[in-house]
Amino acid sequence: MIRLAESKDIDQLIRMRWDFTIEHNPSNKFNESDLEKFKIECRNFLENAINSEQWFIWIAEEEGRIISHIYIELIQKVPRPGRITRPFAFMTNVYTVSDYRNKGISSQLLTTINEWAKNEQYEFIIVWPSDDSINYYRKNGYSHCKEPMEYFPS
């Protein structure tokens, strides 16, 4: 089942974010104190996100267990004369539980999001893929764009 996340999903989403971080940064040494601090910060973020019109957290679930999720943040653009200004979507925190990978679940989730973005008439979706996920996005209709620039304030 694919749907938008609700408040009842927050505990699972917190755990999945923690697991995602551990999986992709195995050298990090976190302890129980780190987990408790993280739970507070992440719960606050998720409560605000789920109740906003800026964030959309799409999930795939099986028997009440979230097995995959994709977070979308809408970015509002400054209006320009002569055209209708529509927001674009920033995709982040794409994660599938390891036992469910390579079974098409995440692609189904992404297809749902692509259709949703088209129906809502968002201008485009942007994602910064890891090297390992480039083919996943390609097979789902995504293409590379010019590299963005960034600035890190010190």
Side-chain angles (χ1 to χ4, degrees):
M1 178 175 167
I2 294 175
R3 64 176 176 83
L4 286 169
E6 302 170 6
S7 295
K8 69 179 183 173
D9 302 314
I10 289 176
D11 288 335
Q12 286 188 73
L13 292 169
I14 291 170
R15 188 69 217 190
M16 290 176 79
R17 182 63 177 163
W18 179 264
D19 293 345
F20 174 88
T21 302
I22 300 299
E23 180 179 337
H24 292 282
N25 299 295
S27 63
N28 286 340
K29 304 294 182 214
F30 296 111
N31 60 42
E32 205 57 36
S33 170
D34 296 319
L35 175 58
E36 291 310 311
K37 290 176 192 171
F38 172 73
K39 282 181 178 179
I40 293 167
E41 179 183 11
C42 196
R43 178 173 303 283
N44 185 51
F45 170 81
L46 289 168
E47 286 172 351
N48 289 328
I50 287 171
N51 293 312
S52 77
E53 293 182 14
Q54 181 179 356
W55 283 94
F56 298 85
I57 303 168
W58 287 89
I59 64 169
E61 69 177 347
E62 182 178 85
E63 297 177 8
R65 178 182 180 209
I66 300 172
I67 56 176
S68 186
H69 60 60
I70 298 176
Y71 288 51
I72 301 286
E73 181 181 20
L74 292 185
I75 308 298
Q76 301 296 326
K77 294 172 49 182
V78 178
R80 176 176 286 175
R83 63 185 247 192
I84 295 174
T85 305
R86 303 202 187 280
F88 69 90
F90 169 63
M91 183 185 306
T92 188
N93 198 26
V94 177
Y95 182 70
T96 301
V97 174
S98 60
D99 292 346
Y100 293 88
R101 292 181 189 152
N102 300 311
K103 296 182 179 186
I105 294 164
S106 185
S107 288
Q108 290 174 11
L109 188 55
L110 192 54
T111 297
T112 299
I113 290 168
N114 292 344
E115 290 171 2
W116 167 76
K118 183 178 180 179
N119 290 339
E120 295 295 323
Q121 298 180 331
Y122 299 136
E123 189 168 339
F124 58 88
I125 300 174
I126 192 166
V127 61
W128 275 271
S130 66
D131 290 340
D132 293 339
S133 64
I134 289 172
N135 286 335
Y136 160 74
Y137 290 107
R138 251 192 211 125
K139 77 176 185 178
N140 285 288
Y142 287 68
S143 59
H144 271 99
C145 59
K146 295 178 182 169
E147 291 295 318
M149 296 176 72
E150 57 190 5
Y151 169 74
F152 295 95
S154 44

